[in-house]
Amino acid sequence: MATVTFKNVRKVYPGNVEAVKDFNLDIKDKEFVVFVGPSGCGKSTTLRMVAGLEEITAGEIYIDDVLVNNVEPKDRDISMVFQNYALYPHMTVFDNIAFPLKMRKFPKSEIKKRVEEAAKILEISELLGRKPKALSGGQRQRVAIGRAIVREPKVFLMDEPLSNLDAKLRNQMRSEIIKLRRRIDTTFIYVTHDQTEAMTLGDIIVVMNEGVIMQVGSPVEVFSRPKNKFVAGFIGMPQMNFIPGELRKTESGYAAFMGDIEIPLSDEINESLTDRKTEPQPVTFGVRPEDFVMGQQGIAASADVSEMTGSTINLHAYIKDTEVIVSLDYNDSRNGAAPGQIIHLMPDSRRIHIFSNETEKSLVYG
Amino acid sequence: MKKHYVRRGISFIVSLVFAVLFLMPTVLTITNSFMTEKEINANYGQVFGAAAGGSTYVADKVNLKFIPDKVSFSQYISVLIKSPDYLIKFWNSVILTLPIVFLQLAIASLAAYGFTRWRGKVRAAIFFSYVILMLMPYQVTLVPNYLVSDWLGILDTRKSIILPGAVAPFSVFLLTKFMRRVPVSLIEAAKLDGASEWYIFTKVCLPQCRAALYSIAILVFIDYWNMVEQPIILLRDETQQPLSVFLSQINSGEVGIAFAAAVIYMIPTLLLFLGGEEYLVEGIAHQGSVKG
């Protein structure tokens, strides 16, 4: 059980490639923090710096208030699950899980007890005598997790542990990790590029891009109150629609103009804009696909193709030249639209996001 | 359909011809080793007969014979019991080859681990020099080896063959290529789990390279088991020379013994190959390289 603190951490690779820029974060004890972002955003590098597998160019990392910049990986009391499982192929499952305990010279009886306990938790007791090549992807992942938990580390690091699994197994393993977390109740840092994984697993999500933290918050916060256009676009599937428009002041307050259509904004948004003394300006509006309603009134759009995803239909449409996706209820017979048909879309006024064209920051939550 | 069978038939016959051509010397050696000295002399006496002045000559006509008139173990009895010289030469081969194989494996695996784990411009330059050395035929290095051995005062001792043999660029190159295939995450995981560098090398990295180690062991063994030039130049004391030198200098009257000695000489290589055929194929296939 431990806290992890990052103070102005930077990582620069040879050739002056800055992978992580001025990273500041406080991770509380027993918190499950997820670093999420696109490939090359610096999330894995940051995790590896915590593990001690990457040198820190500048700044400080503390584990439980102890500066660990120059502490050997084995002395940091952390465990890590790697993307490719990193199981020793010539050892049995038992030996793989027992490896960290053997290295720390635990008595044989204790090793046996702990390995069997971990195997029971992960439901791999019958696999202890097998070699990794005789295991499926999901089983290998369990063994990798077993090797990490058996030592009862202060901090548990996971670097895209589910990305090598197929979609079905990934869903299953996700819920297994949630259960596991409840059982072992320690500090987790989890890296993924999959926003669904981030949303379902994390207490706190750290959204990163180009080595910079774009937003830190709970899943609900980053989803419903994105601080900038990047976070708004990255979190949510299908991703948020961005529509050019104008923020104007009317007699009743601020209003959004998309094309010729005026969309009144909710009191909460109005208050926030007023508090920030926001000037009327050309902006980019953000509307999530599920926050559109198709009806008789609203912004005119030309329907294009539809994607049937199960319970919803994702209808692609064009508002002038801007492509938007509208998520519609599959069971509602009114929600069909043939390609080329003109439809009218009305965004939910409480859930409109407004981004500055200059800074791409949210004018409401940024 | 008919065309298909004809094509298959032709390729079978061609393969068979090549197989027979390749196997013929080995089969000839084995079957002839069971002939009596008299029968061998009748077949090859003329071929290997000593000419006036002591030098050997080759006759125009060779009487190749595969099936002995009467199976005899007399050549084997001569090699193994009557003439201890051959056994001593066999033992010389063993005590020259085995240290080279083990030392080369030990040094090459350590060097390869270094090249794999730590990169940098200096190491890249050293590794490149290994590749250059590998491209040189070993005959080129014989003269420098002779001079250095003389300077070290180890000329005419086994060390003059063992020491240069222990440090071969080919093994370092092959093992480095193999070790670079070991996922870095395995080494990192071991590091996080608390393993020392030596432990990672011996218990994590080397077991992944078993196929390469075995391939190298077999190739090096065959290479040095059959060496001729090095002992002739660096080890002039005949009592210390290996059997391979004797087999390359067959004299009249010893042809039958040479066949038997050659068969005995083949056995260790054959056993080594059969024991590790799987690893050898895997090791070479992984590298996509062939020893030159």
Side-chain angles (χ1 to χ4, degrees):
Chain A
M1 275 154 256
T3 59
V4 181
T5 308
F6 298 83
K7 281 188 182 166
N8 308 106
V9 172
R10 278 180 76 222
K11 175 69 193 178
V12 183
Y13 285 110
N16 213 20
V17 180
E18 199 170 7
V20 179
K21 302 167 190 169
D22 198 27
F23 193 97
N24 289 287
L25 185 70
D26 281 314
I27 297 175
K28 294 190 188 81
D29 184 25
K30 297 182 188 176
E31 218 165 38
F32 196 119
V33 176
V34 181
F35 294 169
V36 67
S39 294
C41 71
K43 55 191 189 296
S44 284
T45 306
T46 310
L47 188 85
R48 290 169 60 79
M49 285 194 282
V50 179
L53 299 173
E54 293 283 354
E55 267 181 42
I56 301 161
T57 310
E60 289 155 357
I61 295 179
Y62 295 86
I63 297 177
D64 254 354
D65 299 325
V66 176
L67 183 67
V68 294
N69 285 33
N70 298 314
V71 176
E72 282 289 308
K74 66 183 169 69
D75 299 326
R76 295 189 183 198
D77 201 4
I78 46 171
S79 277
M80 185 158 164
V81 178
F82 292 82
Q83 184 176 355
N84 62 355
Y85 321 125
L87 299 179
Y88 310 117
H90 55 293
M91 295 183 195
T92 61
V93 169
F94 183 96
D95 289 334
N96 263 284
I97 299 177
F99 191 86
L101 302 177
K102 276 185 193 164
M103 290 301 100
R104 282 169 172 76
K105 302 200 170 22
F106 274 62
K108 275 189 179 171
S109 57
E110 180 68 14
I111 291 176
K112 191 168 180 282
K113 194 183 133 210
R114 287 210 193 185
V115 171
E116 282 171 357
E117 219 171 87
K120 202 174 155 196
I121 293 172
L122 296 158
E123 295 170 10
I124 50 170
S125 299
E126 72 285 2
L127 306 176
L128 288 175
R130 287 199 203 165
K131 294 246 174 98
K133 69 176 174 191
L135 304 177
S136 68
Q139 288 169 334
R140 285 180 201 185
Q141 194 51 269
R142 282 164 199 260
V143 177
I145 292 172
R147 189 175 63 190
I149 63 172
V150 78
R151 198 158 51 79
E152 296 169 7
K154 272 185 184 173
V155 185
F156 211 143
L157 309 177
M158 295 179 132
D159 189 3
E160 308 219 27
L162 307 184
S163 59
N164 280 4
L165 305 178
D166 63 50
K168 195 178 168 194
L169 208 52
R170 206 156 50 223
N171 285 345
Q172 191 191 327
M173 283 305 293
R174 216 161 50 205
S175 57
E176 297 280 338
I177 290 173
I178 294 170
K179 281 184 211 161
L180 178 78
R181 187 264 169 112
R182 234 181 275 147
R183 256 176 186 269
I184 62 176
D185 200 22
T186 187
T187 310
F188 276 73
I189 306 178
Y190 188 104
V191 162
T192 181
H193 64 269
D194 181 340
Q195 50 99 18
T196 315
E197 238 169 81
M199 298 287 280
T200 49
L201 291 172
D203 298 328
I204 296 291
I205 294 179
V206 179
V207 186
M208 294 178 70
N209 188 36
E210 293 178 355
V212 175
I213 295 180
M214 304 304 282
Q215 186 168 353
V216 180
S218 68
V220 175
E221 255 178 290
V222 292
F223 181 77
S224 58
R225 294 161 184 262
K227 287 190 168 179
N228 50 58
K229 205 174 153 188
F230 176 83
V231 175
F234 192 80
I235 302 289
M237 187 60 74
Q239 78 161 57
M240 184 184 278
N241 298 299
F242 296 109
I243 305 155
E246 214 176 322
L247 182 69
R248 290 187 199 160
K249 253 186 174 173
T250 60
E251 281 174 12
S252 56
Y254 288 94
F257 281 79
M258 298 185 202
D260 298 332
I261 304 294
E262 179 186 340
I263 297 148
L265 296 167
S266 67
D267 291 344
E268 188 198 352
I269 295 174
N270 249 305
E271 260 172 47
S272 176
L273 290 168
T274 310
D275 288 349
R276 291 159 189 260
K277 296 178 182 146
T278 311
E279 290 294 321
Q281 57 187 291
V283 292
T284 300
F285 292 106
V287 182
R288 294 206 179 274
E290 57 276 19
D291 293 337
F292 272 123
V293 177
M294 209 164 94
Q296 298 302 317
Q297 289 181 328
I299 312 156
S302 167
D304 196 15
V305 292
S306 300
E307 292 167 341
M308 171 67 192
T309 63
S311 57
T312 56
I313 299 170
N314 290 331
L315 172 68
H316 292 245
Y318 284 89
I319 299 174
K320 291 185 181 162
D321 292 333
T322 308
E323 188 183 7
V324 293
I325 298 175
V326 185
S327 288
L328 302 166
D329 185 357
Y330 162 68
N331 294 312
D332 193 336
S333 57
R334 291 169 300 174
N335 283 336
Q341 185 184 329
I342 299 298
I343 55 172
H344 292 89
L345 302 169
M346 185 56 94
D348 184 336
S349 61
R350 296 164 303 166
R351 291 178 183 162
I352 292 177
H353 300 265
I354 308 163
F355 302 102
S356 158
N357 281 350
E358 279 172 28
T359 62
E360 297 202 338
K361 280 187 179 168
S362 170
L363 296 175
V364 185
Y365 310 114
Chain B
M1 195 58 130
K2 203 177 163 188
K3 235 179 176 179
H4 173 72
Y5 281 117
V6 171
R7 207 177 295 160
R8 279 189 68 177
I10 291 170
S11 58
F12 176 75
I13 290 165
V14 172
S15 308
L16 194 70
V17 168
F18 275 105
V20 168
L21 279 173
F22 276 109
L23 283 173
M24 211 166 70
T26 313
V27 174
L28 188 81
T29 308
I30 295 169
T31 56
N32 280 227
S33 70
F34 293 105
M35 287 178 183
T36 59
E37 190 65 40
K38 201 176 153 193
E39 193 179 351
I40 287 189
N41 281 336
N43 291 333
Y44 311 114
Q46 190 190 6
V47 179
F48 293 99
S55 60
T56 55
Y57 70 93
V58 177
D60 296 334
K61 202 179 160 209
V62 176
N63 182 23
L64 278 185
K65 195 175 172 195
F66 282 90
I67 307 193
D69 292 339
K70 186 185 152 202
V71 174
S72 161
F73 292 93
S74 60
Q75 311 299 349
Y76 287 98
I77 292 165
S78 294
V79 172
L80 296 171
I81 300 162
K82 286 186 188 163
S83 315
D85 258 12
Y86 301 112
L87 277 183
I88 290 169
K89 285 183 198 306
F90 186 89
W91 177 244
N92 282 345
S93 292
V94 173
I95 55 175
L96 274 175
T97 310
L98 287 186
I100 291 175
V101 172
F102 286 115
L103 280 172
Q104 202 176 114
L105 285 180
I107 293 170
S109 52
L110 278 166
Y113 187 70
F115 282 126
T116 308
R117 288 278 286 125
W118 297 279
R119 308 275 177 100
K121 282 180 185 165
V122 177
R123 282 183 189 88
I126 296 172
F127 190 68
F128 183 69
S129 69
Y130 265 80
V131 177
I132 298 287
L133 275 175
M134 203 175 67
L135 296 174
M136 282 187 191
Y138 79 94
Q139 286 87 347
V140 173
T141 60
L142 267 178
V143 174
N145 279 350
Y146 181 91
L147 296 172
V148 173
S149 297
D150 193 23
W151 180 67
L152 289 172
I154 56 171
L155 201 63
D156 265 341
T157 68
R158 291 192 184 94
K159 283 178 206 155
S160 64
I161 293 175
I162 293 171
L163 287 182
V167 282
F170 175 75
S171 309
V172 177
F173 176 77
L174 194 73
L175 262 175
T176 304
K177 274 190 79 187
F178 212 94
M179 275 190 194
R180 282 182 181 167
R181 299 166 66 98
V182 175
V184 179
S185 58
L186 277 192
I187 292 165
E188 289 178 342
K191 231 170 137 181
L192 278 167
D193 287 340
S196 65
E197 204 63 55
W198 180 250
Y199 197 91
I200 294 172
F201 169 62
T202 53
K203 303 283 183 197
V204 177
C205 206
L206 281 188
Q208 316 292 316
C209 302
R210 257 190 310 194
L213 289 170
Y214 212 95
S215 311
I216 290 168
I218 293 175
L219 294 172
V220 173
F221 184 86
I222 293 170
D223 208 15
Y224 282 92
W225 191 246
N226 297 324
M227 68 184 155
V228 174
E229 290 97 329
Q230 296 101 312
I232 288 175
I233 292 168
L234 302 166
L235 199 61
R236 280 165 299 182
D237 176 5
E238 277 190 19
T239 58
Q240 291 195 54
Q241 283 187 341
L243 194 54
S244 50
V245 174
F246 161 74
L247 289 175
S248 70
Q249 298 167 338
I250 302 160
N251 294 315
S252 168
E254 290 177 321
V255 184
I257 287 173
F259 278 130
V263 171
I264 295 168
Y265 203 59
M266 264 193 265
I267 293 171
T269 316
L270 201 67
L271 289 178
L272 206 61
F273 179 77
L274 291 176
E277 188 189 359
E278 211 177 296
Y279 289 122
L280 182 68
V281 172
E282 191 190 331
I284 291 173
H286 269 207
Q287 296 313 306
S289 57
V290 180
K291 188 170 164 53

